[in-house]
Amino acid sequence: MNRVLLGVRGMEQPEQIAKVSGAIKRLEGVRSVQSVDKGQLEVEYDPQQLTVMDLIRVVREQGFLAGML
């Protein structure tokens, strides 16, 4: 398992965090998603199934910009 810290621009409200976290959690290969600070998510995932770009793509599909920190 790998961990990555994602910065998500504009994700500040609890419902926004829940929306983005839920979308990431639904990906096969994601073990956990935690909000660690305003606009930041720590994701533990299986690198055999997903890449960081896969995670960022899902965030973008929710209407937010993201990048690896």
Side-chain angles (χ1 to χ4, degrees):
M1 288 290 171
N2 283 2
R3 288 180 188 221
V4 65
L5 186 61
L6 296 177
V8 183
R9 183 179 285 170
M11 184 189 70
E12 298 174 359
Q13 303 301 318
E15 54 274 359
Q16 294 170 326
I17 295 167
K19 176 183 179 181
V20 175
S21 295
I24 293 172
K25 284 178 186 175
R26 286 190 291 274
L27 290 173
E28 191 170 326
V30 171
R31 178 179 282 175
S32 67
V33 180
Q34 291 183 305
S35 176
V36 293
D37 201 358
K38 186 185 279 190
Q40 294 183 358
L41 295 174
E42 182 181 74
V43 182
E44 187 174 6
Y45 68 98
D46 182 350
Q48 300 294 323
Q49 294 180 283
L50 296 167
T51 66
V52 173
M53 286 308 299
D54 293 326
L55 303 173
I56 290 172
R57 188 176 309 112
V58 168
V59 173
R60 285 184 164 177
E61 289 170 357
Q62 302 308 306
F64 297 91
L65 294 177
M68 191 169 68
L69 298 177

